[in-house]
Amino acid sequence: MTTIWELDFYSRPVLDENNKKLWEVLVCESPLDVQTPIDSLFRYSEFCPSTEVNSVRLRDALNHAIEQAPKPPDKIRFFRRQMTNMITKACEDADIPVYPSRRTLTLDRWIEQRMETVYPTMPNYQESKNPSVALPPPAPRPLPDALVGEKWMFATLEASVLNEMPEWEIAFSEAFPLELADLSPETPVPGLILFSTRALPMAAWMSGIELAFLKYIDSPPRLVLEAGADDAWSLANLPKLTLQTEAKNFEAAKAKANGVHFLAIQSDPNAESFAGFWLLQELNLA
């Protein structure tokens, strides 16, 4: 099975003996399955003085993490775009494929926990907000013609049903334990199902673009798929008020599910298998 790591390298709200902010490397394993035990995921942390912040130091930290991990990563994801050059260079030097991604759910949750329970207990802690990584929303691009769905529909599944994903027939998928999002089993989780006679090629393409989340935008009204660090793709135009209402209801349900939702691809509405099924969560990285 593929092993994916999530990586952050940034300053923390703690000062060193020279009154400079400490930096920290955080590495954690991405869960790829809805039933993955969170406690089984590999994690590694290493502090670094500000005078040693460079790609060589980060590469060394990655090598230290690999020495302790049960398995080296097949690829690494990172969300902090202002560190792109340094992270990319370090991963390339360590011979690990690296991708900017907003699919860093475990890392985001871990940083929040450390901001609340770890850094405040350290000497020379200085309370501050987690630095913003928000950028202006990307302009959505049209999907390649060969990947446009012929039909689509909104759907809703209870969280408990999603826990059965490993039993479904799915060609391309990725999920995460719902406890990461603090969802109860009875929570309704909204989603979008795309239907296409080219379902498998569409799912294969989507599996390679670091899916982030689905979103309704109203100018002009359409459904957008956000991916990578700052990519966005138009999935469907919504010229009718009835469709816009459905999309707003989808957004409301997504908010009640702590941003969790799903995207599925099938060949037709009667299909009993999925070409693709991804559990997604819209994170607030601002």
Side-chain angles (χ1 to χ4, degrees):
M1 178 181 287
T2 299
T3 298
I4 301 175
W5 283 3
E6 302 167 15
L7 167 69
D8 190 33
F9 186 33
Y10 209 68
S11 62
R12 304 302 182 209
V14 180
L15 301 182
D16 62 16
E17 62 274 10
N18 297 315
N19 238 22
K20 301 293 184 180
K21 276 195 173 183
L22 271 179
W23 282 60
E24 185 181 36
V25 179
L26 290 180
V27 168
C28 61
E29 186 179 352
S30 286
L32 305 180
D33 188 284
V34 72
Q35 295 183 359
T36 302
I38 294 177
D39 292 343
S40 71
L41 297 172
F42 174 71
R43 292 186 178 187
Y44 177 85
S45 63
E46 180 179 321
F47 283 105
C48 167
S50 60
T51 54
E52 297 180 14
V53 174
N54 54 56
S55 62
V56 174
R57 183 68 164 80
L58 177 55
R59 182 202 61 200
D60 291 344
L62 284 172
N63 287 332
H64 296 159
I66 290 171
E67 290 171 359
Q68 297 185 24
K71 182 183 175 184
D74 296 294
K75 75 175 188 178
I76 285 177
R77 293 168 166 158
F78 71 94
F79 71 91
R80 208 175 291 277
R81 283 159 280 186
Q82 60 266 56
M83 299 297 295
T84 295
N85 291 341
M86 191 180 298
I87 290 175
T88 300
K89 179 69 165 61
C91 291
E92 288 177 347
D93 288 348
D95 200 26
I96 306 171
V98 61
Y99 300 88
S101 175
R102 284 171 283 178
R103 195 178 178 87
T104 53
L105 312 179
T106 310
L107 181 60
D108 181 74
R109 183 72 176 269
W110 192 23
I111 291 174
E112 284 183 358
Q113 292 172 344
R114 292 179 71 80
M115 292 290 285
E116 294 173 1
T117 64
V118 175
Y119 309 133
T121 68
M122 297 176 64
N124 300 323
Y125 167 72
Q126 289 199 336
E127 184 175 2
S128 63
K129 294 183 178 180
N130 200 14
S132 173
V133 295
L135 292 175
R141 291 179 284 170
L143 285 173
D145 290 341
L147 300 176
V148 176
E150 285 120 36
K151 296 179 181 178
W152 58 269
M153 63 176 285
F154 288 111
T156 302
L157 294 172
E158 281 195 352
S160 59
V161 175
L162 290 166
N163 281 323
E164 301 171 5
M165 271 185 67
E167 302 171 17
W168 303 347
E169 184 180 344
I170 309 172
F172 296 90
S173 69
E174 189 173 339
F176 53 87
L178 291 171
E179 59 185 294
L180 270 178
D182 296 323
L183 288 193
S184 61
E186 66 276 5
T187 302
V189 176
L192 181 74
I193 305 176
L194 300 174
F195 302 106
S196 171
T197 53
R198 292 179 51 82
L200 202 57
M202 177 185 288
W205 181 82
M206 286 192 177
S207 71
I209 62 170
E210 289 295 321
L211 299 181
F213 55 86
L214 294 167
K215 192 173 186 66
Y216 166 67
I217 60 175
D218 56 10
S219 183
R222 54 184 158 169
L223 286 173
V224 170
L225 174 63
E226 304 239 4
D230 54 8
D231 289 329
W233 304 87
S234 291
L235 288 186
N237 294 320
L238 307 176
K240 297 181 180 179
L241 288 177
T242 53
L243 295 177
Q244 294 169 28
T245 299
E246 286 187 48
K248 291 175 182 177
N249 291 339
F250 165 80
E251 284 293 328
K254 186 173 70 174
K256 290 180 180 178
N258 297 335
V260 177
H261 55 295
F262 64 87
L263 172 64
I265 300 176
Q266 290 183 297
S267 56
D268 62 75
N270 296 316
E272 296 183 357
S273 62
F274 294 95
F277 196 107
W278 297 271
L279 199 55
L280 309 172
Q281 184 180 19
E282 183 174 356
L283 295 176
N284 180 16
L285 295 175

